Amino acid sequence: MLNNIGLPGILLIAVVVLVLFGRGKISSLMGEVGKGITSFKKGINEGAKELEEDAAEAAKDVTPETDKDKA
């Protein structure tokens, strides 16, 4: 259904949104969307870094528990 919109349809929708909300409101909304995307990327990177650190720490000591007691 949405695959038949095309460029004229998208432009019409953009003009209607601009008329309804105004330039200032759309500008502030896009700023908030940008902040949200940046925050999401930062969270993804921090999560990946945390997983890598956990994997590295788990890989440090591979001595079996029974052998640890003997040392």
Side-chain angles (χ1 to χ4, degrees):
M1 180 177 158
L2 293 178
N3 59 356
N4 295 334
I5 290 179
L7 185 62
I10 293 174
L11 289 176
L12 179 65
I13 291 170
V15 168
V16 169
V17 168
L18 185 61
V19 168
L20 288 177
F21 295 108
R23 194 179 91 189
K25 190 91 160 177
I26 292 174
S27 176
S28 65
L29 177 66
M30 289 299 116
E32 293 298 321
V33 168
K35 288 178 186 176
I37 291 172
T38 303
S39 175
F40 179 76
K41 286 182 179 179
K42 183 178 178 184
I44 293 292
N45 289 336
E46 287 177 357
K49 194 179 296 183
E50 184 177 322
L51 287 175
E52 289 175 5
E53 289 172 357
D54 289 345
E57 188 164 323
K60 283 182 183 177
D61 190 10
V62 294
T63 307
E65 290 295 324
T66 56
D67 292 342
K68 286 183 182 178
D69 295 334
K70 293 178 184 176

